[in-house]
Amino acid sequence: MTRPARRRFRGDHDPVTFDFAPMVDIVLLLLIFFFLTSTLGARQNALPLDLPRASSSVQETPDLPIVSVSSAGQVFLNGKATTLTALGAQLRPLAAASGGVVGLRADERGSYGTVVGVMDEIKKAGGTRLALGTQTDAARAAGGSAP
């Protein structure tokens, strides 16, 4: 015996509800994620260097490869430690992608010989122009720097 299909009338159903709480949670998590990644990306080349002073400087360009030399003579490429001998091979594709422009940041108390060696490796790797990192007196007080 078959049962006849039950017809639903307009007033015979439950009201449709939409819960906004899960959507708000996801939006807040995405917002926190984007805040953290944007902050980390801006500070990836931040090594504790005491850059020389200059009366004027240009804003840092984030797409340039940055070679840093610490006061102890350690060499870093984009914030990652490397050696002077391996620098050329690691820098070659980055210098080609940036059109030959390479940023150089060196501690003012560092070894002049190491900086000259780094400049030589940059030239061998295809770096045709250097963007030297300096600090203005106002940036030094605020803790910022330019390439």
Side-chain angles (χ1 to χ4, degrees):
M1 180 160 162
T2 62
R3 294 177 52 181
R6 184 175 174 227
R7 297 186 93 180
R8 294 187 76 143
F9 297 103
R10 290 183 195 211
D12 195 22
H13 58 81
D14 295 331
V16 176
T17 60
F18 188 78
D19 191 9
F20 284 99
M23 185 175 67
V24 170
D25 288 344
I26 290 173
V27 169
L28 288 176
L29 286 174
L30 286 173
L31 189 63
I32 291 170
F33 172 76
F34 287 123
F35 277 139
L36 290 176
T37 57
S38 67
T39 303
L40 292 176
R43 304 281 296 166
Q44 76 177 11
N45 295 327
L47 295 175
L49 297 178
D50 191 17
L51 296 174
R53 292 187 187 119
S55 61
S56 64
S57 65
V58 180
Q59 187 65 20
E60 185 172 330
T61 308
D63 56 345
L64 288 180
I66 304 292
V67 179
S68 304
V69 181
S70 70
S71 60
Q74 296 171 316
V75 180
F76 298 88
L77 177 59
N78 288 337
K80 296 179 183 171
T82 185
T83 62
L84 191 58
T85 56
L87 179 64
Q90 294 172 351
L91 186 60
R92 191 166 286 111
L94 299 174
S98 69
V101 181
V102 177
L104 176 61
R105 302 175 71 222
D107 195 296
E108 70 180 348
R109 294 181 307 261
S111 168
Y112 184 67
T114 305
V115 173
V116 170
V118 166
M119 290 171 61
D120 189 39
E121 288 296 322
I122 289 172
K123 181 141 179 111
K124 288 179 188 176
T128 56
R129 296 185 309 177
L130 284 178
L132 298 176
T134 60
Q135 278 188 345
T136 61
D137 289 331
R140 186 176 285 246
S145 66

